[in-house]
Amino acid sequence: MNSLDKRTLRNYALALVGCVVVVVAAQLLFKTADPVEEYLQKTPDKQEVLGLFQSKAQLATTEVTLRRMGIYDSETRLATINPANWRLGRRACIMPVDMTIKYGVDMRKLTAADIVIDTSNVVRIHLPEPEVIDYHVEMRTDRREVVTMSGWLRDEVGEQTMQTIKNKVVEEVMADSTLFNSLRTEIQGNTRAIFRSMLQQMGLKPVFTN
Amino acid sequence: MKKDASFNISRLPLTTLVKVACLLAVAYFVVRCIDAQDDEDITIQPTPIVIESVKPIGELYAFTAITEDYTIDNVEKVGFFSRKYYKAVQTMRMQVSYVLDMDSVHYEPIAGTDTIVVRMPQLRYVQTAQGGRLLCEVEVANYDAAHAISIVEQKVRSKYDTPANRQKATVNAHEVLTAFVQQCGLVPIFK
């Protein structure tokens, strides 16, 4: 074997060792905790805290069906020193998020002072303020309605990202007081209609004071 | 002889080509490694909320719990040379409730008395998904979580839709209606 072959072989070996070192270092440096194991370890606590039935007296009177487009568009981002926060290339997803929100009142907030009965069977009733009773988000994704895009350096957009988008949209919709305020009059009207129906069946004549 | 100044890849030594290829491969791998998915990275652009329908209902929520459950599934990722299976956890946050349809409750006052007969139908079990997450080591574009979601929903239903819970919910619904009817100056009898 001549000296050139030896040098070539040495270069190959060095390149190979270099690659292995860099790959191992990158994996050690950027390795995150296994999300699956992490979740499974937390689960029992969560179920203990959340899984208890509670008696309620919430009267849902208005069901609102709505849709908001979840638009996520991440461009290249190299602004930070930490390479773990770098994002190379574009990754985008546009998807509709369908939700149903039920509004109504808590009947336990009706105190004796809120219901006054006259001798002529007229009931003066002061209804509690409306609130959210329940909401539902459609977790199943209709792929025909979703547009995704990702560069070759980015992960493809999949179910994981879509569910994160849904959660974020739901958080924002539930925190949006404008939606609630725009529906307040309608919710109050529907609540009155339900109480009117109940009280009339009881032979009483309702008068709402709010 | 005139020297050719143009670049010709075939004239480069093999070792240099190998080194360049290795460096490119490593760079690609490193970038893929750091392309970790985190919720903070995903920000949603502001869009309007479109109200599709508003309808009146009458449902008394008598018994409610917020719960979270999960199922483990396998996610298949097909690479250039191989296919790999990863473990994925589909979690769901749900509100489970027993609901009384108020339109089906009938009140019949007994003439000449303060007593009123209340006819109440069976309570309905309702569960609503309030959010969910798919946790997996890799993101796979063609994975459909519908099956995993159905499994979690079924798990929650079998855990909470029980005769004992229904009984408790019915008792609570009686208490709620009794309190309201009594506030209206009447005495209820449930049938």
Side-chain angles (χ1 to χ4, degrees), chain A residues 43-61:
Chain A
T43 304
D45 292 342
K46 279 185 183 172
Q47 284 190 333
E48 274 170 25
V49 173
L50 298 168
L52 294 170
F53 259 125
Q54 292 181 322
S55 59
K56 294 273 176 181
Q58 291 173 320
L59 183 63
T61 62

Side-chain angles (χ1 to χ4, degrees), chain B residues 9-30:
Chain B
I9 198 164
S10 62
R11 290 188 184 174
L12 285 172
L14 187 62
T15 49
T16 310
L17 286 175
V18 170
K19 282 177 191 171
V20 169
C22 287
L23 279 173
L24 285 174
V26 168
Y28 175 77
F29 189 82
V30 169

Side-chain angles (χ1 to χ4, degrees), chain A residues 2-100:
Chain A
N2 61 34
S3 63
L4 185 66
D5 289 338
K6 276 184 186 172
R7 207 174 64 215
T8 309
L9 274 176
R10 199 181 63 217
N11 282 341
Y12 274 124
L14 277 174
L16 193 67
V17 169
C19 287
V20 170
V21 168
V22 172
V23 167
V24 170
Q27 277 192 323
L28 288 174
L29 197 62
F30 303 116
K31 192 172 173 60
T32 51
D34 181 357
V36 175
E37 292 302 325
E38 210 174 316
Y39 175 77
L40 293 179
Q41 281 169 11
K42 284 183 194 167
T43 304
D45 292 342
K46 279 185 183 172
Q47 284 190 333
E48 274 170 25
V49 173
L50 298 168
L52 294 170
F53 259 125
Q54 292 181 322
S55 59
K56 294 273 176 181
Q58 291 173 320
L59 183 63
T61 62
T62 307
E63 184 181 282
V64 181
T65 308
L66 52 91
R67 168 173 277 207
R68 202 191 132 180
M69 295 307 291
I71 301 178
Y72 154 61
D73 191 352
S74 170
E75 299 285 350
T76 294
R77 198 177 67 196
L78 299 168
T80 60
I81 296 168
N82 183 4
N85 292 329
W86 292 354
R87 299 290 179 266
L88 302 178
R90 194 175 181 193
R91 192 164 186 264
C93 178
I94 302 169
M95 63 183 298
V97 180
D98 293 317
M99 279 183 75
T100 306

Side-chain angles (χ1 to χ4, degrees), chain B residues 166-187:
Chain B
R166 184 176 293 277
Q167 179 60 29
K168 285 181 197 165
T170 307
V171 169
N172 188 53
H174 279 185
E175 283 173 9
V176 172
L177 289 183
T178 301
F180 179 68
V181 172
Q182 282 176 345
Q183 277 179 321
C184 296
L186 299 166
V187 180

Side-chain angles (χ1 to χ4, degrees), chain B residues 61-79:
Chain B
Y61 279 66
F63 212 41
T64 295
I66 303 288
T67 188
E68 193 168 298
D69 216 322
Y70 70 95
T71 188
I72 300 174
D73 199 3
N74 283 320
V75 173
E76 182 192 36
K77 183 156 190 168
V78 182

Side-chain angles (χ1 to χ4, degrees), chain A residues 8 11-12 15 19 22-23 26-27 30 32 34-37 39-40 43 46-47 50-74 77 83-84 86-88 91 98 102 107-108 110-112 115 117 125 133-137 139-141 143 152-165 167-170 172-173 176 179 182-183 186 190 194-195 198-199 201-204, chain B residues 14-15 18-19 22 26 28-70 72 77 87-93 95-98 102-103 105-109 116 126-146 149-150 153 159-160 165 172 176 180-181 183-186:
Chain A
T8 309
N11 282 341
Y12 274 124
C19 287
V22 172
V23 167
Q27 277 192 323
F30 303 116
T32 51
D34 181 357
V36 175
E37 292 302 325
Y39 175 77
L40 293 179
T43 304
K46 279 185 183 172
Q47 284 190 333
L50 298 168
L52 294 170
F53 259 125
Q54 292 181 322
S55 59
K56 294 273 176 181
Q58 291 173 320
L59 183 63
T61 62
T62 307
E63 184 181 282
V64 181
T65 308
L66 52 91
R67 168 173 277 207
R68 202 191 132 180
M69 295 307 291
I71 301 178
Y72 154 61
D73 191 352
S74 170
R77 198 177 67 196
W86 292 354
R87 299 290 179 266
L88 302 178
R91 192 164 186 264
D98 293 317
K102 288 179 182 176
M107 287 179 75
R108 291 218 171 115
L110 272 174
T111 61
I115 301 177
I117 308 165
I125 184 164
I133 308 296
D134 191 11
Y135 65 91
H136 171 73
V137 57
M139 291 306 295
R140 289 174 183 82
T141 308
R143 298 298 177 100
W152 67 283
L153 285 171
R154 304 296 306 269
D155 278 343
E156 286 179 90
V157 176
E159 188 74 33
Q160 209 161 332
T161 301
M162 290 178 200
Q163 290 194 14
T164 304
I165 291 171
N167 290 338
K168 287 186 183 272
V169 168
V170 170
E172 287 181 15
V173 169
D176 189 347
L179 173 72
S182 67
L183 294 164
E186 192 138 4
N190 291 338
I194 289 286
F195 274 91
M198 279 196 291
L199 292 166
Q201 280 191 64
M202 291 179 202
L204 301 167
Chain B
L14 187 62
T15 49
V18 170
K19 282 177 191 171
C22 287
V26 168
Y28 175 77
F29 189 82
V30 169
V31 168
R32 296 295 302 197
C33 274
I34 65 175
D35 189 19
Q37 296 308 310
D38 51 7
D39 289 2
E40 288 72 29
D41 180 41
I42 294 172
T43 49
I44 309 298
Q45 294 181 5
T47 48
I49 298 168
V50 179
I51 296 173
E52 295 189 332
S53 73
V54 180
K55 65 175 185 183
I57 52 166
E59 294 175 344
L60 178 72
Y61 279 66
F63 212 41
T64 295
I66 303 288
T67 188
E68 193 168 298
D69 216 322
Y70 70 95
I72 300 174
K77 183 156 190 168
K87 200 163 55 172
V89 173
Q90 173 66 56
T91 74
M92 296 273 283
R93 186 184 173 86
Q95 176 169 313
V96 291
S97 313
Y98 280 95
M102 295 298 275
D103 293 333
V105 180
H106 295 290
Y107 305 88
E108 295 162 16
I116 189 164
V126 174
Q127 59 182 36
T128 49
Q130 302 194 330
R133 285 186 73 193
L134 181 72
L135 303 165
C136 187
E137 291 167 68
V138 294
E139 175 129 35
V140 179
N142 59 359
Y143 175 72
D144 188 355
I149 288 169
S150 300
E153 284 174 344
K159 201 184 290 179
Y160 288 95
N165 282 339
N172 188 53
V176 172
F180 179 68
V181 172
Q183 277 179 321
C184 296
L186 299 166

